[in-house]
Amino acid sequence: MTKSTLEYAKQLDERDTLRRFREEFYLQPGSIYMDGNSLGLLSKRAERTLFESVEDWKKYGIDGWTQGQHPWFELSERLAEMLAPLVGARADEVIVTGSTTVNLHQLVATFYQPEGKRTKIVADELNFPTDIYALKSQLRIHGFDPEHHLIEVKSRDGRTIEEEDIITAMSDEVALVILPTVQYRSGQLLDMKRLTDEAHKRGILIGFDGCHSVGSIPHAFSDWDVDFAYWCNYKYLNGGPGGVGGLYVNRKHFGAEPGLAGWFGSRKDVQFDLLHTFTPADNAGAYQIGTPHVLSMAPLLGSLEMFAEAGMEQIRKKSLEINEYFMELIDAELADFGFEIGNLRDDVRRGGHVCLEHLEAARICKSLKEHGVIPDFRAPNVIRLAPIALYTSYEDVWNVVQILKEIMDEKQYEKYTNERETVA
Ligand SMILES: *Cc1c(COP(=O)(O)O)cnc(C)c1O
């Protein structure tokens, strides 16, 4: 039996030790969801904890802060405790708060301390735009011109960033390095330990954007001695659209005055003394700003339960295997149609999605949607397809490849224009 048959896909599903989680998600009949790297699907458990929180509000009103099934006053800390193992941190080094962009602002406002000629920030030219906008505005707040003070390490091939080039950029004029853990387009996974070591050797602080790795890849932020990190919880962690994000601060930085102070960063025992002197928490909780968005955190309670049960090592294992299977099928079935796989093949250098490149990518995506496959498109030529460990089956992947083959064979994409839609 060859690897290209449906029977083989079904066998892989039978052997899949995470198979039981699939039925906990709301998968739509007639549709194959390949966009869990942009917005994870709703699970029954996430829905349950959301409704329980609504119920707490209904029943307790203001007393929901301290009573009910999921008291709100400690909810950010409780979720941090559940998230900590996924990022390789102690519970008090993590807090669930804000959003990716807000948390980046907070962390740069706190840890970017230009001094003498050390004034520059290193980022890379492939990072997600919001990170770059935030860094430029932080530089302007400090009175620096981003043109000169933001160094965007260039990509040699338009897909990936060479770690050597990042290290070369770490000069004695650099105060801070901000990098993605996984590149959002090509899925390149950076060697965080190596980059952290190299930054520290040169007296530079380093922070990572974990949007495309948290919930998909195990991390060891504390062991690697990363200074800080931030991420969203709505991609691989299935926390819901606009769900509250997370941040990590290495315990060696506890006590660093928050750059953007707000009362929810207070030590909890004194917060309601309501003094005009701010007493920050002595852990990552200090970097919270205002009242937590309770209803946007509640689904995470249910979702993170599943991650604890499945285990990050198992999730990564399946993710690597199902992505590998996907790439093998693409190689075998779609070789003649002008596709290129834009992600790296090496396990230690790839994240959780396949970056499929094609000149007609935008309209191939539209054809896929017509067939009920949900991909996303990233200009100019990338179709991102993410088989998710907890809910994508090998049979789904097999079907996506058959559909792509039909679209290409029959040139079905030609009836669409090759332009992107508003979101994906
Ligand atoms: C998804 C994503 C974001 C999103 O930021 P928000 O503040 O949640 O809108 C930021 N950075 C990267 C790298 C992302 O992938």
Side-chain angles (χ1 to χ4, degrees):
M1 180 182 302
T2 83
K3 282 190 165 186
S4 297
T5 62
L6 175 59
E7 287 65 36
Y8 186 73
K10 287 182 171 173
Q11 274 184 18
L12 293 175
D13 280 324
E14 271 166 39
R15 273 185 249 147
D16 175 6
T17 55
L18 299 178
R19 192 171 43 142
R20 68 185 186 281
F21 291 101
R22 179 175 166 92
E23 63 197 35
E24 299 209 39
F25 285 87
Y26 287 101
L27 298 161
Q28 296 306 305
S31 169
I32 303 177
Y33 196 73
M34 299 300 281
D35 207 9
N37 58 327
S38 266
L39 181 71
L41 289 180
L42 175 65
S43 64
K44 291 171 189 167
R45 291 200 225 188
E47 179 183 54
R48 191 199 75 223
T49 51
L50 171 61
F51 287 166
E52 284 168 355
S53 298
V54 171
E55 206 54 37
D56 286 346
W57 175 24
K58 201 187 283 177
K59 243 163 122 177
Y60 297 96
I62 187 77
D63 287 332
W65 286 100
T66 52
Q67 293 176 40
Q69 301 191 68
H70 311 297
W72 310 324
F73 195 55
E74 304 279 350
L75 190 55
S76 305
E77 286 75 12
R78 196 173 147 209
L79 285 166
E81 213 175 301
M82 299 171 81
L83 246 172
L86 276 57
V87 296
R90 295 187 345 171
D92 60 356
E93 292 175 309
V94 176
I95 195 73
V96 170
T97 188
S99 69
T100 308
T101 313
V102 169
N103 292 342
L104 172 58
H105 272 294
Q106 169 68 297
L107 292 162
V108 174
T110 303
F111 293 107
Y112 170 56
Q113 305 268 2
E115 224 186 287
K117 68 171 185 174
R118 253 190 215 283
T119 55
K120 297 186 176 172
I121 299 178
V122 166
D124 72 276
E125 69 165 357
L126 299 181
N127 202 347
F128 197 72
T130 198
D131 296 62
I132 301 300
Y133 303 161
L135 293 176
K136 286 184 177 174
S137 69
Q138 286 290 333
L139 283 166
R140 277 188 222 106
I141 288 170
H142 280 87
F144 293 122
D145 179 359
E147 284 294 316
H148 297 109
H149 292 267
L150 180 66
I151 301 169
E152 290 189 58
V153 178
K154 296 264 176 292
S155 165
R156 297 187 196 183
D157 62 359
R159 294 165 170 159
T160 57
I161 300 284
E162 291 292 328
E163 281 150 13
E164 286 307 324
D165 295 345
I166 299 170
I167 294 165
T168 304
M170 294 177 180
S171 74
D172 58 4
E173 296 185 337
V174 174
L176 181 64
V177 175
I178 298 285
L179 294 166
T181 53
V182 168
Q183 292 287 2
Y184 77 98
R185 291 169 87 255
S186 69
Q188 177 193 11
L189 169 59
L190 290 172
D191 185 340
M192 288 170 260
K193 178 176 188 322
R194 176 181 178 206
L195 293 164
T196 301
D197 287 346
E198 295 295 335
H200 289 171
K201 271 190 220 163
R202 294 163 177 77
I204 301 170
L205 295 184
I206 188 164
F208 286 97
D209 179 326
C211 281
H212 280 275
S213 63
V214 174
S216 162
I217 292 170
H219 305 69
F221 284 151
S222 293
D223 284 349
W224 299 333
D225 204 27
V226 167
D227 292 291
F228 61 84
Y230 55 96
W231 59 87
C232 63
N233 294 318
Y234 53 73
K235 289 173 178 159
Y236 289 96
L237 288 183
N238 315 313
V244 177
L247 64 80
Y248 159 84
V249 172
N250 191 307
R251 59 193 294 221
K252 73 183 176 191
H253 294 306
F254 285 0
E257 189 76 19
L260 307 175
W263 75 312
F264 262 82
S266 297
R267 238 178 54 197
K268 286 196 136 24
D269 59 326
V270 298
Q271 180 175 347
F272 276 85
D273 291 348
L274 302 177
L275 301 178
H276 279 198
T277 308
F278 177 44
T279 307
D282 53 10
N283 54 35
Y287 307 99
Q288 298 172 85
I289 301 177
T291 305
H293 304 172
V294 171
L295 297 182
S296 293
M297 295 199 295
L300 256 189
L301 281 165
S303 184
L304 287 175
E305 263 178 38
M306 280 186 277
F307 282 81
E309 281 170 32
M312 258 336 290
E313 298 296 331
Q314 288 304 311
I315 288 171
R316 175 62 167 161
K317 184 165 173 281
K318 173 169 172 192
S319 168
L320 282 171
E321 282 171 9
I322 197 168
N323 275 283
E324 179 69 40
Y325 170 70
F326 200 175
M327 290 188 284
E328 282 174 14
L329 282 185
I330 290 167
D331 289 340
E333 306 278 319
L334 301 174
D336 299 335
F337 298 110
F339 287 105
E340 264 194 81
I341 290 180
N343 51 285
L344 299 164
R345 294 281 182 135
D346 195 351
D347 284 2
V348 298
R349 304 195 70 197
R350 63 185 168 102
H353 70 267
V354 170
C355 164
L356 190 60
E357 298 175 348
H358 197 284
L359 287 173
E360 309 284 356
R363 47 185 178 167
I364 294 171
C365 279
K366 292 176 193 172
S367 279
L368 281 169
K369 286 197 167 177
E370 187 188 331
H371 283 273
V373 178
I374 319 293
D376 74 13
F377 169 67
R378 287 292 176 258
N381 65 341
V382 170
I383 306 170
R384 292 192 308 185
L385 296 159
I388 303 299
L390 291 182
Y391 55 78
T392 307
S393 68
Y394 288 84
E395 187 172 339
D396 286 341
V397 167
W398 186 87
N399 276 314
V400 169
V401 174
Q402 299 311 308
I403 290 166
L404 269 171
K405 202 167 150 185
E406 183 190 320
I407 289 170
M408 301 312 292
D409 254 338
E410 297 175 13
K411 294 192 167 39
Q412 292 174 2
Y413 58 87
E414 284 185 349
K415 67 179 176 196
Y416 300 102
T417 57
N418 198 32
E419 288 160 0
R420 71 169 168 82
E421 293 173 85
T422 310
V423 174

